[in-house]
Amino acid sequence: MRVHTTTVLSLSALAVLALAGCTHGSAAASGPTSSTVPVHPDGQSAPAPTPLSSAALAKRLLDESDLGGDYTRMPQRTMAHDDVTVIGCPALVKLGGDAATGASLAFPRKAKASFTYAGGSSSELAEELYSDTEDKISRSVGRIFEAMTSCPTYQVLAGSTPVTVTTQKVLVTRRLGDEQWSQLLTFTAGGRSSIVKQTAVRTGTVVVVVSGSPGLVDAQVRKAVAKATVVRSTG
């Protein structure tokens, strides 16, 4: 069984951001935020950064002109989540059913794109952009990665198909954005394995999630962050 990158994001729980919906009520209770408020020279408090709309995010996704001729954009798959179960990882189970199956990506402002890479061997690259308040994104993404990497090995049942997932936190060597998380996930099913790297970078009110073959993620994540966070007049 081949585990597609775009499927991986749902099966693993998490498109990195599934927790956003489950922590909507608990985020404010988990601790005080910084009391520092940017101030303009005239003494007036600077307005909080405004989250971008889904339409604005869609314009900031990578496309074939950014990636090159070896990449072909794939149609978005519609995934069924009601028959997916996580076993053997209490931290993921604790997040709740929606988070554990990827059924609720509750950031309302989002955009996604997936690509097939044919340069040598066929691989996939997926990019997701989400926008919300800085605090909500930071807390939600941090909790997702903490939960996933707290269980070195767990199992996902996709219908009747068992998929073994192993996770490994990746140390950040090049700093991108305000916050960065990265991990390697190995999915094993039917005697075959797929290795996926998943890197999330938050810059202000935008978080970029790039997933896929480790080499492709390393090659494209900086470009994805640069395009996603470019200053535009629309949002």
Side-chain angles (χ1 to χ4, degrees), residues 27-69:
S30 60
T33 60
S34 171
S35 59
T36 302
V37 178
V39 176
H40 287 301
D42 60 5
Q44 298 295 319
S45 296
T50 302
L52 298 178
S53 66
S54 295
L57 291 173
K59 295 178 182 178
R60 302 184 182 205
L61 288 167
L62 293 173
D63 56 32
E64 293 90 337
S65 65
D66 301 309
L67 296 171

Side-chain angles (χ1 to χ4, degrees), residues 144-169:
I144 284 288
F145 272 92
E146 181 179 356
M148 293 183 74
T149 56
S150 71
C151 301
T153 302
Y154 59 95
Q155 192 173 70
V156 172
L157 286 178
S160 60
T161 302
V163 181
T164 299
V165 185
T166 61
T167 64
Q168 177 185 345
K169 185 182 295 185

